[in-house]
Amino acid sequence: MTANDTREARADAVRALEGEFSELFTHVRRLFAENANRLSPGMLPGAYKVFTTIVRRESITLSALAESLHTDKGQLSRTVRELEDLGLVTRTPDPTDGRSSLISATADGLRRLREVRAPRESALSNALDRWDVDDIRELTRLLRALSQSAVPG
């Protein structure tokens, strides 16, 4: 295989991967919209993403959340306030920095999220039911490397 053939094969593979990601992102956007609406009727998918990021991080400052989501701190502050008004998150003083607060999910928010996710989690589990567990772990490892712009090792 020549260097040109290798470049073309890589370009074709990357385009195919991009196409699959496009399909996956469309599916995820639809899922987020459905889950957001089930969590709180009228909730926008962006607010759902903010909430699930807070849940994943367990406790996070607004600045760290904005950095994690690559978003404007002002808009994010309004979204977090909406999540507070819905009883999904709470703010507590940051023990390491008195000027900021830690944002975390409430017990009710976690319960409601579990209820919203339950039907979809079984769908993912069913889709992966016949996959070898090592293949699932490998996909997870490769996606983590890709999301961190790292070379899989």
Side-chain angles (χ1 to χ4, degrees):
M1 194 179 248
T2 68
N4 193 40
D5 290 341
T6 302
R7 277 193 302 275
E8 285 182 35
R10 177 175 290 279
D12 288 345
V14 169
R15 278 192 293 277
L17 179 61
E18 183 180 15
E20 292 303 319
F21 273 131
S22 179
E23 293 296 321
L24 180 62
F25 293 159
T26 298
H27 178 74
V28 169
R29 278 192 300 273
R30 186 173 49 250
L31 174 70
F32 271 34
E34 291 170 4
N35 282 357
N37 197 54
R38 286 201 330 259
L39 186 64
S40 180
M43 176 184 275
L44 296 174
Y48 179 80
K49 177 153 180 55
V50 169
F51 178 58
T52 58
T53 301
I54 293 167
V55 169
R56 241 186 353 272
R57 295 296 183 90
E58 295 181 5
S59 187
I60 190 169
T61 64
L62 187 64
S63 294
L65 184 60
E67 184 177 320
S68 172
L69 294 170
H70 305 284
T71 192
D72 175 69
K73 212 168 137 181
Q75 175 59 42
L76 187 59
S77 181
R78 287 186 290 280
T79 301
V80 169
R81 204 169 313 114
E82 291 170 16
L83 295 172
E84 280 182 292
D85 292 345
L86 291 170
L88 299 172
V89 301
T90 188
R91 294 183 206 223
T92 57
D94 183 345
T96 63
D97 182 354
R99 298 167 295 158
S100 66
S101 299
L102 293 174
I103 306 162
S104 54
T106 63
D108 186 52
L110 292 172
R111 178 194 58 77
R112 289 168 60 187
L113 182 60
R114 275 192 307 275
E115 290 172 1
V116 163
R117 285 180 163 170
R120 297 294 185 194
E121 285 178 350
S122 64
L124 179 60
S125 185
N126 290 341
L128 296 172
D129 191 45
R130 296 189 341 222
W131 284 42
D132 185 88
V133 73
D134 289 335
D135 289 339
I136 297 169
R137 289 182 180 133
E138 180 67 1
L139 177 60
T140 303
R141 184 184 72 78
L142 292 171
L143 287 174
R144 183 177 306 114
L146 181 61
S147 71
Q148 295 173 352
S149 297
V151 175

